[in-house]
Amino acid sequence: MNAFIGRALFALIFVGGFYNKYENFGTDGGSTIQYMSPKVSAVKTAIEVFASAKTGSDFKIPNVEDKHLLMGAMFLEGAGALLYVFGSKLGARMLMLFLLIVTPIMHDFWNIADPKSSEYQMQLIMFLKNLAMFGSLMTYVAMKKESKAKRVTGAKKTN
């Protein structure tokens, strides 16, 4: 029961984020899109420039509407949190994928000129929080794998 409560409390941050995005989505993605679009555009451009330089050809990322990217992120966040609460390793991996994609794009503190500004500090804290949550999920997945291996081999607990 304690593990379930712990997972539920951990997942609250994802459920809250999903709910906020869902409530504000409207027909165009709401305020999240307004914040997200310039950052996604910058990442797409950086990837295209890098890939074009490496391949020697004109590399272009297929055009996908930002609201569809947001819906994909919302799916990973919401469904992953729900599955994680009930002890699913798949849910933990969905949340890990969500954090892996979203964290460097949305919390790009290194692109803020003044390291003493409140925006820089907030983005750095959010980046580190997401990094810590990613590490926690990695630990959870590893422990689930280890627990399963012990059950399969019939390993006994030693004192």
Side-chain angles (χ1 to χ4, degrees), residues 100-121:
L100 188 66
I101 295 168
V102 168
T103 301
I105 295 172
M106 298 303 289
H107 303 299
D108 56 341
F109 63 92
W110 54 87
N111 285 329
I112 299 170
D114 181 12
K116 294 188 190 251
S117 71
S118 60
E119 179 68 13
Y120 179 93
Q121 296 297 319

Side-chain angles (χ1 to χ4, degrees), residues 13 21 42 66 69 71 80-81 84 89 92 94 99 101 130 136 147-148 159:
I13 196 157
K21 290 175 195 79
D66 287 345
L69 295 174
M71 284 189 272
Y84 176 75
K89 199 163 49 168
M94 289 171 73
L99 290 169
I101 295 168
N130 284 6
S136 296
S147 173
K148 183 178 180 181
N159 290 334

Side-chain angles (χ1 to χ4, degrees), residues 44 48 59-65:
K44 284 180 183 177
E48 288 175 348
F59 180 84
K60 293 289 180 198
I61 293 176
N63 190 25
V64 177
E65 285 188 55

Side-chain angles (χ1 to χ4, degrees), residues 14-86:
F14 296 103
V15 171
F18 169 82
Y19 182 75
N20 182 47
K21 290 175 195 79
Y22 177 77
E23 280 293 306
N24 295 314
F25 195 86
T27 59
D28 63 351
S31 59
T32 303
I33 286 289
Q34 294 170 0
Y35 182 73
M36 181 184 101
S37 287
K39 292 176 179 266
V40 169
S41 179
V43 169
K44 284 180 183 177
T45 301
I47 291 170
E48 288 175 348
V49 167
F50 178 79
S52 293
K54 288 292 181 185
T55 62
S57 64
D58 189 26
F59 180 84
K60 293 289 180 198
I61 293 176
N63 190 25
V64 177
E65 285 188 55
D66 287 345
K67 72 178 180 179
H68 295 134
L69 295 174
L70 177 58
M71 284 189 272
M74 288 171 61
F75 172 75
L76 288 173
E77 186 178 27
L82 183 63
L83 290 170
Y84 176 75
V85 167
F86 292 104

Side-chain angles (χ1 to χ4, degrees), residues 13 99 107 124-134:
I13 196 157
L99 290 169
H107 303 299
L124 175 61
I125 289 168
M126 296 296 281
F127 183 90
L128 294 173
K129 174 209 43 121
N130 284 6
L131 195 62
M133 290 183 354
F134 186 86

